[in-house]
Amino acid sequence: MDVVSPELNSLLPDEIMDTEAIEEVPHSQSEPTHDTSVPMETDAPVTSESLNTCSNATPAERVQAATAAAAADSAPGSQSSITISASSTLFAIKPALATSTATTKTTDSLTGTTVSTSGTQKLTTPFAFSAANHQIILNKVASAQATEAAKAAAAPAQLIKQEGQKLLVTTIGKSGQPIVLQLPHTGGKPGVSQTSGDAKSPTPQFKVVTIGGRELKPVVGSAGNQVTTLQAQQLKTVQVTVVSVASPPSNTSQKSVALPVNVALGQQILAVQQSAPASPVKVATSQTPAQNIKPVQSVAVGGVGGSQFKTIIPLATQPNVQQIQVPGSRFHYVRLVTATTANAAGQPSAPNTSSVATGKPLVVNTGAVRMSVPVVQAQTMKQVAPKPLTSAPQVVTTTQTQQRLIMPATPLTQIQPNFTNLPPGTVLTSAPGGSNVGYAVVPAQYVTQLQQSQFVTLASSSSFPASSSVQTQAKLPYNGVSAAETTSRPRKPCNCTKSQCLKLYCDCFANGEFCNNCNCNNCFNNLEHETERLKAIKTCLDRNPEAFKPKIGKGKEGESDRRHSKGCNCKRSGCLKNYCECYEAKIMCSSICKCIGCKNFEESPERKTLMHLADAAEVRVQQQTAAKTKLSSQISDLLMRTTPIISSGGGRLPYTFVTKEVLEATCECLLEQAKRAEQTRQPQAEAERAILEEFGHCLMSIISSAGKAKTDCASINC
DNA sequence: GAGTTTGAAACT
DNA sequence: CAGTTTCAAACTC
């Protein structure tokens, strides 16, 4: 069932629409596993007494004692203390995780709304469309309601007010009008409150907004139909990730705008991802005792974690941010909401409380399943600000400093690019008549850079995987390359020397990415040079409005239809080298190419030969990789196999008893033999012989101990 | 790793 | 728009 008309679908930006080839990223959260490891041989806790005993015994006895210690250590039930120690670190983490993922979930049986108040959240709610004003309201943000976090976590029947805010998402046509995410002040119905599980909660309104002179057919659906739609399509669980967008300390730069530290309710970040139900997305907010979470709300529109997004960051000091993660797009959009709007219904009664709105998934699925846009509806999640870090939800940031807006406000208003051309750093001005909210569109890396320090700090301190949706790199299709390809082939670092990485020569810049771990010199493609970067972006857009668009357009009927948007101009490479952008993108040249001597066409024998060679090489590489992996696995298995025992069928090889302690004992024996030979002033040849004999005795002892351990083990049926 | 080749981007 | 220059990646040795 189509939720959105094809007309609407066709108008939506490709970056939003392109949901194909989205790689499902497995849930990155690595739950600490119980200690199933077995002790390493070299970790065998051989006591000093064992070795000392050996010193008092004959050399062979010493070796035997050490070997016996190793053998005993391998017996079942006896775990290496080292192993336990190592795993205990994980266990130590567990309580924190358990606390952080504590989730209070309220599920409405009728609407399917699931409200999680902390920790991992799954939000599955129907959506609604409204045809009014040709607008899509992607999200209806529930008003915040002050409630203590601990209380919320403990009370399943959490009260949530849902009236109020609407997120208007305006599509953009080709007219160059900026996309506007507008959160009107009017939507709210203060005073109306309801529980999160109320199936008859105020229906979110969705409107389709036309831009660029093209009019969209409004899509209207009732709440019931919406539920049916969602169920029929078996939408994946919409999950919410709440991350506080803590920003670096506000500095003296004009580009930075300090956000209010003491923002109470409505401080939300919702990163709603469409992912497998089995991999719940984390919802986490964290606050230092003295400070509050930055009011940020983000909405992920489909997509998976690990995507790269653009972010729209308000230039004002609004307490909320709406973040939309778009599947297939490398961008996400974050919007700060004015305090007025954010607090339309549920006002922060306690400055130290943050809230998270429940979401309702909006599925904009048109025709050929081009777009699936789950949008969450606000749902209140409350959390007491002064909360110990260990009890904080999974993705945690603290706001120990004032927020710092990452985009300069002044020059931003000049940039109003096409939505589909939005380059990193683009700023969307506030809508006329709308709230006084400005938007800065930045790549996810921007957010990553912005948050990295805090995330890293806290994540590491809490031993928590910092797997935020806004932190991960893009795994989305780019230039026609599948997500898997882009994932397997990480972006190469650039080597720019003269362009300051602010021209399209720089692949990082051209791809809308910040330079990261590059080899460039005098790089301006970073947060420290926001102004210059913005200027460069504007210049590029002035020169070519589609400069930041993928060069390889995606065909409608498969990869074979992919083609270069401009065509290549190769003259000497025959379009069979990576100089050629078509060849590099693994596509054939098309009629729009202006290449000379092109050999990159379907029937080209040169191309076929090249492809065969390439395929053969790839097969070889794969085989080698597989062989390496297998060998590595075998070696690893061999090394890790510390309990071969009888159950393995073969028994334990003697060399596995050559532990560090056994070696040391053996060496002591040999040294002792050498000493004796020296004291008795034996000839060198005789001394060498005696030492070798001693070594033989040691080996025999080791082998004997191994065999004995095997027999003992068998006798006790271990 | 240095030098060369190549073609896109930038410039005029 | 065409010609030239600049630039960084691809390629070769």
Side-chain angles (χ1 to χ4, degrees), chain A residues 222-306:
Chain A
S222 66
N225 291 337
Q226 292 145 10
V227 175
T228 303
T229 300
L230 289 175
Q231 293 171 344
Q233 297 181 347
Q234 294 181 343
L235 293 175
K236 295 178 181 177
T237 302
V238 175
Q239 299 171 336
V240 174
T241 297
V242 178
V243 217
S244 74
V245 181
S247 305
S250 176
N251 55 23
T252 57
S253 171
Q254 286 182 332
K255 309 164 191 173
S256 301
V257 178
L259 291 178
V261 174
N262 293 325
V263 181
L265 290 182
Q267 302 176 353
Q268 310 161 356
I269 296 178
L270 292 182
V272 183
Q273 298 178 341
Q274 182 183 14
S275 55
S279 59
V281 177
K282 307 122 192 171
V283 175
T285 57
S286 167
Q287 298 162 337
T288 58
Q291 290 171 324
N292 299 319
I293 292 178
K294 296 299 178 290
V296 177
Q297 180 180 11
S298 64
V299 178
V301 182
V304 295

Side-chain angles (χ1 to χ4, degrees), chain A residues 96-364:
Chain A
L97 284 176
T99 306
S100 64
T101 55
T103 301
T104 300
K105 190 176 290 184
T106 303
T107 303
D108 186 289
S109 59
L110 294 178
T111 63
T113 301
T114 300
V115 176
S116 298
T117 56
S118 66
T120 301
Q121 288 198 357
K122 291 183 178 180
L123 300 181
T124 305
T125 56
F127 64 95
F129 269 156
S130 171
N133 299 330
H134 304 286
Q135 291 180 321
I136 286 181
I137 302 177
L138 287 182
N139 186 18
K140 178 183 179 183
V141 182
S143 304
Q145 185 180 15
T147 305
E148 294 181 353
K151 198 173 179 179
Q158 180 187 6
L159 293 177
I160 296 173
K161 293 182 179 180
Q162 293 185 342
E163 70 279 7
Q165 305 175 17
K166 306 169 191 172
L167 169 61
L168 301 183
V169 175
T170 306
T171 62
I172 287 187
K174 302 296 183 182
S175 64
Q177 293 295 325
I179 187 168
V180 175
L181 298 182
Q182 180 181 2
L183 189 63
H185 296 267
T186 57
K189 292 181 180 178
V192 178
S193 64
Q194 62 188 64
T195 62
S196 61
D198 188 359
K200 294 172 182 172
S201 60
T203 303
Q205 300 177 8
F206 297 91
K207 300 178 181 181
V208 178
V209 181
T210 61
I211 283 190
R214 295 182 63 179
E215 193 157 341
L216 302 176
K217 291 182 180 179
V219 181
V220 183
S222 66
N225 291 337
Q226 292 145 10
V227 175
T228 303
T229 300
L230 289 175
Q231 293 171 344
Q233 297 181 347
Q234 294 181 343
L235 293 175
K236 295 178 181 177
T237 302
V238 175
Q239 299 171 336
V240 174
T241 297
V242 178
V243 217
S244 74
V245 181
S247 305
S250 176
N251 55 23
T252 57
S253 171
Q254 286 182 332
K255 309 164 191 173
S256 301
V257 178
L259 291 178
V261 174
N262 293 325
V263 181
L265 290 182
Q267 302 176 353
Q268 310 161 356
I269 296 178
L270 292 182
V272 183
Q273 298 178 341
Q274 182 183 14
S275 55
S279 59
V281 177
K282 307 122 192 171
V283 175
T285 57
S286 167
Q287 298 162 337
T288 58
Q291 290 171 324
N292 299 319
I293 292 178
K294 296 299 178 290
V296 177
Q297 180 180 11
S298 64
V299 178
V301 182
V304 295
S307 300
Q308 189 180 22
F309 309 96
K310 280 182 181 175
T311 303
I312 300 177
I313 295 181
L315 301 176
T317 58
Q318 282 72 25
N320 287 345
V321 166
Q322 301 243 357
Q323 177 177 350
I324 299 176
Q325 297 179 353
V326 182
S329 170
R330 297 183 295 122
F331 310 114
H332 61 193
Y333 308 90
V334 175
R335 174 181 183 273
L336 293 187
V337 183
T338 61
T340 312
T341 306
N343 299 330
Q347 293 307 316
S349 58
N352 290 334
T353 304
S354 66
S355 65
V356 172
T358 61
K360 294 200 172 188
L362 164 64
V363 175
V364 183

